[in-house]
Amino acid sequence: MESRPLRYFVAVAEELNFARAAERLGISPPPLSRAIRRLEADLGVTLFERTTHSVTLTPSGEVLLAEARIALDALEAAGHRARRAAAPDGGLVLAVKADGDAGLLKPVLERYAAGPAAVPVTVRLCGWQQSPALLRRGEADVALVHEPFDHTGLDSETLTVEPRVAALAAADPLAARDRLSPADLGLRPGELHRLRDGVRGEGRNLAQMLTLVSLGDMVGLLPASVADRYPRPGVVYRPVTDAPPAVLRIAWPQQSRSTATAALVRAAVAVAEAESAQTAEAASARAAEAVRSVRTAEALPDPAEGAPSEPARAAR
């Protein structure tokens, strides 16, 4: 099967209108209609239900749409990878959203560069949820990406699993609390994605979002590591109970056989494991110090009992 009929089919399936699909493809509607009829005849199935007022996909059309997108992405990716392989600089492309690396990007690149299989790595900054598509199109070799994302055609490994915190204006009454619940934020537990996705939307970066938070114009739901890495005047961070964890994964195309990509993945996993162990050790040390402080406080005399009086000393 040639790619052109599939491209025509996908355009009609996404537009559900032959005129709009033809305009999108830069052709006139009659040739597009004939191409779809030929595709249906070749496959022996009806892909669209057509009436004078609407166009809808049949069950066969729904299946073909999902498969056609994968096939076309793979074809486009093959072209991108071939052109990149011919480039004189070569190397890997790592896609990541700015400020979406949980602080791992620099140590991962340093550990990878020290390995024997290292090649030059170009970091491509992208928007939220753009990196999976870059991987599928062959424009990136590996990506750091937060769940949830479309895993189609990708393999991945978990790097970090963090609790979430709410970013609030310091003047917000909720900032006086030690921790918050979804109800405090006006949400039921199953609705937390609304706040999380609102933070991700509209192309905001973290600096823009925290500026809005400091002004009291919004509340953010963020990975807990942000609180340590991005202290900001006028912004406080509070844990949110029952919030889904922030999961950062490293992803790459399933069909990748690149030893350089595999080495970069191994470096990322090793750095994440080391960071996790260090965090656990620090938490254990803090807990031990807290226990020592409590025991010291318990050993001190109660000030309410006071010192022995002079007559009592004389009697002894």
Side-chain angles (χ1 to χ4, degrees):
M1 183 182 296
E2 296 182 0
S3 63
R4 181 178 297 178
L6 285 181
R7 295 187 191 280
Y8 286 3
F9 164 75
V10 170
V12 177
E14 291 178 347
E15 299 292 342
L16 293 178
N17 182 288
F18 276 81
R20 287 198 301 269
E23 183 178 359
R24 167 175 154 182
L25 294 166
I27 62 176
S28 61
L32 176 59
S33 182
R34 289 194 295 271
I36 296 300
R37 293 287 187 189
R38 283 196 298 271
L39 179 60
E40 289 178 318
D42 289 343
L43 296 175
V45 297
T46 300
L47 301 172
F48 296 101
E49 294 292 348
R50 306 164 178 83
T51 70
T52 54
H53 300 293
S54 67
V55 175
T56 58
L57 281 166
T58 64
S60 295
E62 294 280 2
V63 170
L64 183 60
L65 177 58
E67 297 295 335
R69 283 171 170 160
I70 295 172
L72 293 174
D73 281 345
L75 184 61
E76 184 177 3
H80 281 296
R81 294 191 183 99
R83 287 188 289 273
R84 286 178 45 215
D89 51 353
L92 298 176
V93 175
L94 186 155
V96 60
K97 183 183 183 298
D99 62 59
D101 64 328
L104 297 180
L105 181 59
K106 187 172 184 290
V108 166
L109 293 178
E110 289 174 348
R111 185 180 184 107
Y112 172 71
V119 298
V121 178
T122 299
V123 175
R124 177 166 176 175
L125 298 180
C126 57
W128 190 262
Q129 295 296 306
Q130 290 180 349
S131 54
L134 293 176
L135 292 174
R136 281 189 286 271
R137 292 201 302 266
E139 296 181 44
D141 301 288
V142 67
L144 300 180
V145 56
H146 276 94
E147 291 278 14
F149 65 92
D150 182 1
H151 288 246
T152 303
L154 306 177
D155 281 332
S156 64
E157 288 278 355
T158 298
L159 296 181
T160 63
V161 180
E162 301 181 69
R164 292 187 186 269
V165 295
L168 307 158
D172 192 310
L174 293 176
R177 304 188 185 184
D178 291 333
R179 59 184 59 247
L180 303 173
S181 68
D184 295 326
L185 302 174
L187 299 169
R188 293 190 292 272
E191 296 178 331
L192 284 169
H193 68 279
R194 287 172 37 202
L195 182 57
R196 181 191 63 209
D197 295 341
V199 170
R200 297 171 177 173
E202 302 183 22
R204 297 190 189 101
N205 60 35
L206 187 60
Q208 292 169 331
M209 192 214 74
L210 292 178
T211 296
L212 294 175
V213 169
S214 68
L215 296 173
D217 290 341
M218 71 176 297
V219 173
L221 188 63
L222 301 166
S225 61
V226 171
D228 296 326
R229 293 187 294 122
Y230 296 97
R232 182 78 173 246
V235 175
V236 298
Y237 299 96
R238 296 292 180 264
V240 180
T241 59
D242 299 326
V247 179
L248 178 67
R249 299 178 71 88
I250 185 165
W252 63 96
Q254 284 178 345
Q255 73 273 23
S256 174
R257 298 296 181 267
S258 165
T259 56
T261 296
L264 182 53
V265 171
R266 288 195 298 271
V269 171
V271 167
E273 289 176 347
E275 291 278 343
S276 177
Q278 186 176 354
T279 300
E281 184 178 347
S284 177
R286 288 195 298 270
E289 180 61 31
V291 170
R292 284 194 294 270
S293 297
V294 170
R295 288 175 177 171
T296 300
E298 290 175 345
L300 293 174
D302 188 343
E305 295 179 359
S309 63
E310 289 298 325
R313 291 195 186 98
R316 289 200 291 268

